[in-house]
């Protein structure tokens, strides 16, 4: 049931990717910011490990990850997200673009 609902509510079939967030009371971000442009590498990798995606969806996901790696100039598909959230979107100072969870490249994860 969890797997089914995850794919039903979080998989964007049109864009062949996971929706970053579903907000109950509306997005905390500015109206002109399209959060669905962000690709979540880590969450997608875990969904693949959990056997949620079909072989075709995995191929599409990996192709997108490889393109993101090239576009970001990263070393591995261990990017957390790409593109990053803009500077100043988070209260935590460590969440700057390409830092840790905001586009950081976790090479130890991406090379496994």
């Amino acid at each position: 049931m969890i797997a089914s609902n995850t794919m039903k509510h979080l998989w964007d079939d049109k864009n062949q990717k996971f929706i970053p967030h579903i907000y109950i009371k509306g997005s905390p971000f500015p109206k002109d910011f399209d959060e669905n442009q962000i690709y979540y590498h880590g969450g997608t990798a875990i969904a693949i490990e959990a056997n949620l995606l079909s072989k075709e969806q995995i191929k599409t996901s990996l192709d997108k990850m490889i393109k993101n790696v090239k576009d970001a100039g990263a070393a591995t598909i261990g990017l957390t997200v790409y593109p990053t959230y803009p500077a100043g979107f988070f209260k935590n100072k460590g969440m700057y673009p390409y830092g840790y969870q905001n586009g950081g490249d976790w090479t130890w994860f991406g090379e496994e």
Side-chain angles (χ1 to χ4, degrees):
M1 195 162 130
I2 291 172
S4 175
N5 281 328
T6 297
M7 295 307 291
K8 177 180 175 182
H9 297 289
L10 296 176
W11 182 254
D12 179 346
D13 201 48
K14 178 182 168 201
N15 293 308
Q16 290 292 290
K17 63 181 278 304
F18 284 101
I19 297 165
H21 299 99
I22 296 175
Y23 297 102
I24 305 236
K25 296 183 180 182
S27 172
F29 301 115
K31 300 245 185 260
D32 64 347
F33 177 69
D34 184 3
E35 189 178 24
N36 199 34
Q37 294 302 308
I38 296 177
Y39 193 93
Y40 274 67
H41 283 235
T44 302
I46 297 303
I48 291 168
E49 289 180 335
N51 205 27
L52 296 181
L53 301 179
S54 69
K55 289 184 186 218
E56 295 80 19
Q57 290 168 325
I58 292 170
K59 170 75 168 97
T60 299
S61 297
L62 290 174
D63 288 346
K64 287 183 181 195
M65 288 179 186
I66 291 166
K67 181 180 182 326
N68 287 347
V69 167
K70 289 178 184 172
D71 291 347
T76 74
I77 64 170
L79 286 172
T80 53
V81 300
Y82 185 82
T84 66
Y85 286 87
F89 267 42
F90 299 99
K91 290 180 182 180
N92 183 331
K93 293 176 186 166
M95 290 290 285
Y96 54 88
Y98 298 102
Y100 194 56
Q101 289 284 1
N102 190 15
D105 186 359
W106 293 20
T107 54
W108 61 269
F109 187 81
E111 292 179 354
E112 287 192 19

